[in-house]
Amino acid sequence: MSTVAPTPQRLSDPRIPVTLLTGFLGVGKTTLLNEILEDATSGRIAVLVNEFGEAGLDHDLIETIDGDVTLMQSGCLCCSIRGDLSETIGGLLARRHSGDLSFDRIVIETTGLADPGPIVQTLLVDRMLARNVRLDGVVTLADAANGPGTLDAQFEAVAQVALADLIVLTKTDLVTPDAASAIDARLKGLNATAQILHKGADDIKPGTLWGLNSIRADAPQDVAVAWTSPRDTSRDPLANLSGLAPAKTAPLAQTPHDARIASVSLILDEPLEDAVFDRWLNTLIGLRGPDILRVKGIVFLKGIEAPFVFHGVQHIFDAPIALPNWSGDDRRTRIVVIARDLSKPELQRSFDMLRAGQSKAPDGAIAGGYL
């Protein structure tokens, strides 16, 4: 990826937002999906599922059936993915353009053990899709009762958590408060920047699931900062400026799957030279691209007033987006890397390239590692 100065973009992105709904087998995706379809506040939604039978949609909501498309009484529709994802979405977009179908957003429900990475990549690399849809967020459901065993047994479940923008923890009423707290802490360890909500305890309206991804010019500043910052407010991420001091709290017990995940955040106080940032990102992706589950960040470049946000999965990246409405004196670069089979020291050495490239060479603040 070669980074150039971001160009001003329309603040209103005309592309259709796509939300990826993933999670463990039996975690409650279908229940949440039915609740979304029953709520009219989110507009008309096209839901893509692998098969109608797996979706288990509430038949009281179904009005008519037209081939592979089920039309709901709410005006939403459901489409079975029986072939290529690109062809399925392309067909829906063509019918929307012709006026045959109407929808405002797309929700893709994955199978319980699907790795969401290839789906995100498809949305980025397919030229037709990239022009017409944008990733609005990855929502992962985790089961408080069976989730620990699933995380132990299936690395795909770990990847679902690592790629999430929002994690919804279900079935907390079936476990003790200590058990719920334990899996909550484990999820934070795998993905420190994702918001975690408890279904039943937290008020989860359909609107909570939208607008999670900040790769858009109209992303609110506070949302973009939260998207690239650890959510654990119990400790100050700036307290460990070198990133090398021992943690004050005892580390979480790790399973073999958890131990494969490294999640590291970097904060740099001064704008970067564009060539330095390019060289760092190209080196990281060139050497370890297949092991990079996700890279995202807000970056300030020297000579450019507005920051830009970037996002990538493995070696595939969105085009960087400028945030022209950024205000205030906060001009810190924030970068998050979530990787597998890549140690924290390796990632820290990678970040040293960025720190060395700053003219004043101030210390960066690293928070994370095997959280």
Side-chain angles (χ1 to χ4, degrees), residues 153-334:
Q154 303 289 342
F155 184 76
E156 291 84 356
V158 175
Q160 291 171 358
V161 172
L163 265 71
D165 297 298
L166 170 66
I167 300 171
V168 178
L169 188 60
T170 66
K171 305 182 183 180
T172 54
D173 57 324
L174 301 181
V175 300
T176 66
D178 286 346
S181 296
I183 188 170
D184 193 277
R186 186 172 177 183
L187 297 173
K188 290 178 181 177
L190 292 170
N191 187 338
T193 59
Q195 182 181 13
I196 300 177
L197 298 177
H198 291 192
K199 197 171 190 304
D202 295 314
D203 186 17
I204 304 176
K205 295 182 173 66
T208 308
L209 311 181
W210 318 139
L212 302 175
N213 193 316
S214 292
I215 300 295
R216 49 195 172 95
D218 61 346
Q221 184 170 331
D222 59 338
V223 173
V225 170
W227 188 59
T228 54
S229 302
R231 297 277 180 162
D232 184 1
T233 58
S234 63
R235 62 187 179 91
D236 181 2
L238 302 182
N240 178 12
L241 293 181
S242 69
L244 300 176
K248 294 182 180 180
T249 57
L252 296 171
Q254 291 185 331
T255 68
H257 287 321
D258 294 37
R260 294 182 63 191
I261 298 294
S263 177
V264 176
S265 301
L266 174 74
I267 299 175
L268 294 171
D269 293 327
E270 301 294 331
L272 291 164
E273 296 282 358
D274 57 355
V276 171
F277 179 72
D278 269 353
R279 185 164 61 251
W280 168 77
L281 189 57
N282 287 333
T283 301
L284 179 67
I285 300 306
L287 294 178
R288 301 302 297 268
D291 297 317
I292 304 299
L293 296 179
R294 192 170 198 178
V295 182
K296 58 182 179 179
I298 302 171
V299 176
F300 283 88
L301 295 179
K302 291 181 179 179
I304 301 176
E305 187 63 27
F308 69 90
V309 287
F310 73 100
H311 172 248
V313 176
Q314 293 185 338
H315 61 285
I316 305 298
F317 279 76
D318 275 299
I321 301 292
L323 298 179
N325 288 334
W326 193 275
S327 61
D329 297 328
D330 187 351
R331 296 183 60 79
R332 292 178 295 174
T333 286
R334 297 168 171 87

Side-chain angles (χ1 to χ4, degrees), residues 330-349:
D330 187 351
R331 296 183 60 79
R332 292 178 295 174
T333 286
R334 297 168 171 87
I335 299 174
V336 180
V337 178
I338 303 176
R340 70 180 159 219
D341 302 328
L342 190 60
S343 69
K344 178 183 176 182
E346 287 180 282
L347 287 172
Q348 287 179 322
R349 285 194 295 272

Side-chain angles (χ1 to χ4, degrees), residues 14-31:
R15 295 177 297 171
I16 299 293
V18 176
T19 297
L20 191 58
L21 181 62
T22 186
F24 312 163
L25 290 166
V27 75
K29 294 193 300 294
T30 298
T31 300

